[in-house]
Amino acid sequence: MSMAIKNPASQATLRWQGSLTGSLILIDQTRLPEELLEIECRDVPAVVEAIRSLRVRGAPAIGIAAAYGLCLGMQTLSEEKGAEAFYSSVKQFADQLASSRPTAVNLFWALERMLQVAQQRSKSGSIAEIRAALLAEARAIETEDRQICRALGGHGAPLIEANSSWLTHCNAGGLATADYGTALAPFFTAKQAGQQFHVFVDETRPLLQGARLTAWELHQRQIDCTLICDSMAAQVMKEGRVQGVLVGADRIAANGDTANKIGTYGVAVLAAAHQIPFYVAAPRSTFDFKLASGDLIPIEQRHADEVAQGFGRRTAPAGVRVYNPAFDVTPARLIRGIITEAGIITPVTTEQIRATFGG
Ligand code: MRU
């Protein structure tokens, strides 16, 4: 069950309201930029629906929402259950949340972290203790994400040279994280330091996360930006207007192959053709060390209406066949560097990634 709140005082992407018994408040990103509206999620199905329909989206934000979703699930469980039965119900809620979207690994990473805490505590603790430990863990995931985004900003900002112009695809800003973003964080940090630069924003078909969300965030922070249709990126690069590309990630394989919003791979190919450096910014939680390469990353397929009838207006004949993969994979060889909380990984190789994270 969820409820809408108009004109919220807070502009937090998501926040927990209450204490042990509480609710998850999210900005409904499907309503931006027309309307800043929050929704209050009170149970697991509401969080699953919010993730699936992209009310909350972006890899880190999905993970945090799912962690709090699990806390909502626990509220419905009786204290009289034994710890083991309690744990098995928590596991069922985690499975429901995990089924919401397949590509961003942060979702599974956050749920796994929560389940480990639940399992450990269910060996000795009371139900009340398990509940408290899980809420504390969800809060820790959120707090860490805020700190990590600031670190990404610090490591990435020196790349943003004076009077340079960058291109970004999709939204990897504050709306895609607890706060501040991954790929947008270096821009925010550079702006705070007084640097002059410009950002081209790909509109990001079919759901326009670039136009609706990134342009909104950059505009709010008074960062000089220009919106372009995705198909204009080649021309803009050919005209010499772009000195660097910076995007986020949904899942990075052990060798650095990177899944991000559909269209990212095309931008990387264009950047290579124009000798423009292409960077990715992502936290460690976006790396999936179990997958040797990007071919193994599951790619979400979304509904045909998003392409043929986006935002309620039919733009293709009814019944025409549509293919709508939500993500693509950019091979590591096209990526100049990956900006992480541990520094910039370059060259992007399995060995360098392992060395950076001490694995
Ligand atoms: O389908 P979305 O809007 O969830 O896709 C989001 C992206 O592709 C982002 O670039 C990615 O999650 C990085 S967010 C910091």
Side-chain angles (χ1 to χ4, degrees):
M1 189 175 56
S2 68
M3 222 182 72
I5 308 163
K6 265 196 163 226
N7 303 319
S10 140
Q11 277 201 20
T13 304
L14 75 189
R15 63 194 163 88
W16 181 256
Q17 179 174 267
S19 51
L20 260 191
T21 304
S23 57
L24 175 63
I25 313 278
L26 307 165
I27 289 182
D28 183 349
Q29 299 188 33
T30 62
R31 308 295 284 264
L32 285 169
E34 290 155 292
E35 205 175 16
L36 183 61
L37 190 89
E38 284 185 336
I39 54 164
E40 181 179 4
C41 299
R42 294 182 180 165
D43 53 26
V44 170
V47 178
V48 170
E49 191 280 333
I51 295 174
R52 201 168 272 156
S53 62
L54 274 53
R55 296 185 202 288
V56 59
R57 33 68 49 208
I62 295 173
I64 302 163
Y68 282 126
L70 216 50
C71 298
L72 292 175
M74 287 185 315
Q75 290 179 180
T76 62
L77 300 177
S78 148
E79 296 246 348
E80 277 127 50
K81 276 193 168 203
E84 250 174 62
F86 187 86
Y87 175 71
S88 103
S89 303
V90 172
K91 178 99 185 43
Q92 279 171 21
F93 287 130
D95 290 344
Q96 286 171 35
L97 288 157
S99 72
S100 57
R101 291 190 81 186
T103 303
V105 76
N106 307 59
L107 172 67
F108 311 104
W109 167 86
L111 288 170
E112 191 50 47
R113 209 170 131 165
M114 295 288 284
L115 283 176
Q116 269 175 22
V117 170
Q119 194 174 30
Q120 249 168 18
R121 293 289 173 139
S122 60
K123 284 182 196 145
S124 56
S126 66
I127 304 288
E129 280 166 351
I130 306 173
R131 281 204 171 121
L134 283 175
L135 182 59
E137 191 67 10
R139 287 194 198 279
I141 291 172
E142 180 191 340
T143 306
E144 284 166 28
D145 188 62
R146 287 175 196 278
Q147 292 160 350
I148 287 167
C149 288
R150 297 280 162 169
L152 296 182
H155 289 303
L159 297 171
I160 318 294
E161 287 177 7
N163 305 315
S164 60
S165 186
W166 288 71
L167 183 140
T168 191
H169 190 78
C170 196
N171 173 268
L175 290 165
T177 58
D179 180 38
Y180 215 61
T182 56
L184 296 194
F187 299 135
F188 297 156
T189 305
K191 173 76 182 178
Q192 271 172 341
Q195 189 66 293
Q196 298 286 326
F197 59 95
H198 168 265
V199 183
F200 281 103
V201 180
D202 270 355
E203 67 176 352
T204 316
R205 277 274 290 156
L207 294 180
L208 307 184
Q209 287 93 332
R212 293 188 303 104
L213 309 177
T214 299
W216 184 75
E217 286 197 43
L218 293 176
H219 220 57
Q220 276 206 326
R221 292 186 188 250
Q222 288 159 7
I223 290 176
D224 183 26
C225 64
T226 305
L227 178 64
I228 57 171
C229 301
D230 302 339
S231 51
M232 295 170 188
Q235 181 65 13
V236 166
M237 287 184 185
K238 194 172 157 204
E239 289 170 358
R241 295 177 194 267
V242 179
Q243 283 72 53
V245 175
L246 180 48
V247 298
D250 286 85
R251 194 184 297 221
I252 303 176
N255 70 345
D257 291 350
T258 295
N260 191 49
K261 178 53 55 195
I262 191 73
T264 303
Y265 171 45
V267 174
V269 170
L270 289 176
H274 294 89
Q275 283 100 46
I276 295 168
F278 178 97
Y279 288 93
V280 170
R284 189 189 197 281
S285 54
T286 300
F287 286 76
D288 187 345
F289 295 99
K290 291 194 293 294
L291 304 186
S293 76
D295 310 341
L296 301 166
I297 299 176
I299 300 294
E300 178 181 10
Q301 303 294 325
R302 291 189 64 89
H303 200 279
D305 283 354
E306 292 179 352
V307 174
Q309 206 177 345
F311 306 99
R313 171 146 195 258
R314 177 155 288 288
T315 51
V320 75
R321 189 179 303 131
V322 168
Y323 178 48
N324 185 17
F327 299 95
D328 58 26
V329 176
T330 299
R333 69 185 151 76
L334 295 179
I335 304 172
R336 173 72 61 89
I338 304 181
I339 304 164
T340 73
E341 62 269 43
I344 302 182
I345 302 175
T346 186
V348 180
T349 59
T350 308
E351 298 68 37
Q352 197 63 32
I353 292 171
R354 248 194 239 135
T356 303
F357 291 124

